[in-house]
Amino acid sequence: MDLQKRPTQEPPLSAAELRASDADRDRIADLLRDALAEGRLTADEHAERVEGVLAAKTVGELDVFVRDLPAGQARKTGPVYVPPVSSVPNRPTPGAIPIDPDDRLVAVFSASTRKGRWRPGRRIHAYAIFGSVELDLSEALFEHRQVMIKAISVFGSVEIRVPENVSLRGSGGGVLGDFAVDALDSNETDAPVVYVDGLAVLGSVEAKPKRGKVIADLLGRVTDHVARKVDDHLRKRTDR
């Protein structure tokens, strides 16, 4: 009796064989910049290595450029990178995001910026018409698990930055423009998810994590926020 041949299973890729992301390239470029400032690399060596970093396709190719630097040796002794398994949907949960925006930023032949310690709503609209909008959530106080950003750019630019430990999703497009969202998966189950949607017409919409910026104790902050609301409600009732 002939036995049916079973397809052989390919071994999993090693960490060095994984495709490099823009964030990976940025980290190596930062290490090379530090090495230049410390005098470990000449200006020509730095320029040559940065050029190679931009052309690198895998994590292993990136490591070559810092192998002879102290920072490169520290990377080898660090924990092995394990890609997270994402359970974050590409679209918000139905009913979680309101139809009307909680925040709105408009730049018409001008610039509009929102950054620092601010509290983003569940829906944010950003419009850049011959102008620029900067929306920085890297130090924001998140009070909601899901945040939707609707970004429209017409001959302008919308720049969105998020902390490194949130999840980031994007669904939009460009018409003779550039709509780019660097998808991000958080290792923290309680981390918020930032969804970016919209359109770039002869302009640009860009969303990506801000290196070195993280949020901490999100659950505690949200719980404290809810507790404050309950206390305020009870206080109003007792004052009647």
Side-chain angles (χ1 to χ4, degrees):
M1 181 176 63
D2 294 335
L3 295 178
Q4 185 177 4
K5 294 183 178 180
R6 296 181 179 180
T8 58
Q9 184 177 6
E10 296 184 358
L13 296 177
S14 66
E17 294 174 307
L18 293 176
R19 298 285 292 189
S21 67
D22 289 339
D24 294 328
R25 296 185 184 90
D26 289 343
R27 291 187 184 96
I28 298 299
D30 288 344
L31 295 178
L32 294 175
R33 184 189 61 220
D34 293 340
L36 174 64
E38 295 169 356
R40 300 182 188 276
L41 296 176
T42 66
D44 291 339
E45 290 172 334
H46 175 263
E48 182 180 355
R49 295 194 186 196
V50 168
E51 184 177 354
V53 166
L54 296 177
K57 299 290 193 240
T58 67
V59 174
E61 291 176 7
L62 289 175
D63 289 338
V64 172
F65 297 103
V66 293
R67 182 179 299 166
D68 58 346
L69 300 175
Q73 296 301 313
R75 283 169 60 86
K76 289 183 179 180
T77 59
V80 177
Y81 172 75
V82 178
V85 179
S86 174
S87 59
V88 178
N90 290 326
R91 301 294 299 173
T93 304
I97 306 297
I99 297 177
D100 297 326
D102 300 310
D103 299 290
R104 184 182 284 108
L105 287 83
V106 180
V108 180
F109 289 98
S110 62
S112 181
T113 303
R114 183 72 58 83
K115 60 183 178 180
R117 305 288 285 180
W118 65 290
R119 302 177 186 274
R122 288 174 295 174
R123 176 181 284 272
I124 304 170
H125 286 184
Y127 303 96
I129 314 297
F130 289 94
S132 64
V133 172
E134 179 185 357
L135 193 56
D136 190 341
L137 291 87
S138 61
E139 297 181 0
L141 301 175
F142 287 87
E143 296 179 342
H144 307 285
R145 298 298 185 193
Q146 300 182 68
V147 175
M148 165 65 78
I149 300 176
K150 186 79 171 183
I152 304 295
S153 171
V154 180
F155 288 96
S157 65
V158 177
E159 182 179 290
I160 302 165
R161 295 293 180 265
V162 301
E164 283 192 317
N165 60 339
V166 305
S167 293
L168 179 63
R169 292 289 183 270
S171 59
V175 178
L176 299 178
D178 184 23
F179 188 98
V181 177
D182 290 351
L184 180 66
D185 291 310
S186 176
N187 290 322
E188 303 177 23
T189 57
D190 292 330
V193 186
V194 177
Y195 295 95
V196 180
D197 193 7
L199 181 66
V201 181
L202 291 168
S204 66
V205 173
E206 180 188 61
K208 65 181 183 179
K210 191 169 184 177
R211 186 175 182 272
K213 294 293 186 178
V214 297
I215 55 174
D217 192 25
L218 170 73
L219 183 59
R221 285 206 299 270
V222 173
T223 303
D224 290 343
H225 175 69
V226 174
R228 286 196 302 271
K229 284 190 173 182
V230 173
D231 290 342
D232 292 342
H233 178 70
L234 292 175
R235 189 178 301 110
K236 289 179 181 178
R237 290 180 63 89
T238 56
D239 290 342
R240 291 178 181 175

